[in-house]
Amino acid sequence: MTDERQLVTRLQEGSEEAFTQFFDQYRNTIYNFGLRFCGNPDEASEVLQDTLINTFRHIKNFKGQSKLSTWLYRIASNACLMRRRKMKPGDVSLDQMEEEAGVEPGDHRFKPDQLLEQKEMNNIIQDALVALPESYRIPFILKEIEQLSHKEIAEILDTSIPNAKVRVHRARLMLREKIA
């Protein structure tokens, strides 16, 4: 029995230790996926929470026909889509920028103009990514950021491998156009 299968079995049995191991193993992956999809740390935290809750609620239904991570990405994708429908754009203050950069108050090495330029470029890229239709955004994130194979993406999206490849390719073209 593989480690993943053992973890799933222990999760299905309700082992608290397995839930802790599961959380430690997948929290960053889910959070980062949510952050890239939603573009907002608070929303990413909500996606993480929603994904974990839904995973724990439905782990008994997991049959092992795909990898646990593939099943998890599907749950996270659905959580992102639900959150995205509710999301509203927000403003970012200079204090938030300093906090995100890990700068202590009064640190004279902090250069707001450099951070602002970097933040603006990141925002352009993130806005272009968020502006992609969901049917292209999810496969792009899974392929280019999460480094999943086309086969895994096809499983997550419940589509064919050629369709997954086409969606990733079209997403790249759309992003190039939006960023240019």
Side-chain angles (χ1 to χ4, degrees):
M1 191 182 289
T2 66
D3 289 340
E4 182 177 284
R5 187 67 215 150
Q6 289 174 337
L7 178 61
V8 169
T9 300
R10 290 176 33 237
L11 285 168
Q12 290 173 332
E13 292 169 352
S15 164
E16 287 183 34
E17 181 185 319
F19 285 119
T20 302
Q21 179 185 348
F22 172 82
F23 180 74
D24 290 344
Q25 187 171 343
Y26 291 104
R27 74 173 160 215
N28 290 335
T29 301
I30 298 166
Y31 176 82
N32 289 332
F33 179 78
L35 183 60
R36 288 181 180 103
F37 187 91
C38 298
N40 177 312
D42 293 333
E43 290 296 318
S45 293
E46 294 292 328
V47 166
L48 172 62
Q49 182 177 340
D50 292 348
T51 301
L52 292 174
I53 289 169
N54 285 321
T55 299
F56 298 145
R57 280 187 186 152
H58 301 289
I59 192 67
K60 291 192 186 293
N61 299 332
F62 181 71
K63 306 235 184 307
Q65 295 171 334
S66 65
K67 290 176 19 180
L68 180 61
S69 59
T70 301
W71 187 66
L72 214 66
Y73 275 118
R74 178 176 273 175
I75 293 171
S77 295
N78 289 335
C80 285
L81 293 172
M82 295 304 291
R83 288 265 158 219
R84 189 73 192 131
R85 290 181 186 124
K86 299 175 188 176
M87 228 170 101
K88 296 178 185 171
D91 296 326
V92 177
S93 70
L94 186 57
D95 292 337
Q96 284 177 296
M97 289 171 55
E98 287 179 350
E99 186 179 310
E100 289 174 11
V103 175
E104 295 295 320
D107 185 344
H108 300 291
R109 294 174 295 161
F110 175 65
K111 302 208 182 338
D113 58 327
Q114 290 176 347
L115 184 59
L116 187 59
E117 276 183 37
Q118 180 184 10
K119 185 85 172 165
E120 285 176 359
M121 180 54 80
N122 288 343
N123 285 342
I124 289 169
I125 294 168
Q126 183 63 38
D127 289 347
L129 187 59
V130 170
L132 285 176
E134 293 165 353
S135 61
Y136 297 110
R137 186 178 336 135
I138 291 173
F140 180 83
I141 292 170
L142 292 172
K143 179 65 179 161
E144 299 300 333
I145 298 171
E146 301 299 329
Q147 301 290 306
L148 297 182
S149 70
H150 287 108
K151 181 181 178 191
E152 291 171 310
I153 295 167
E155 287 177 25
I156 291 166
L157 300 177
D158 194 26
T159 189
S160 67
I161 294 172
N163 186 284
K165 288 180 179 181
V166 167
R167 289 188 194 183
V168 170
H169 179 70
R170 287 184 182 163
R172 285 183 190 130
L173 294 176
M174 288 180 204
L175 278 175
R176 278 189 203 135
E177 186 176 307
K178 289 178 186 296
I179 292 172

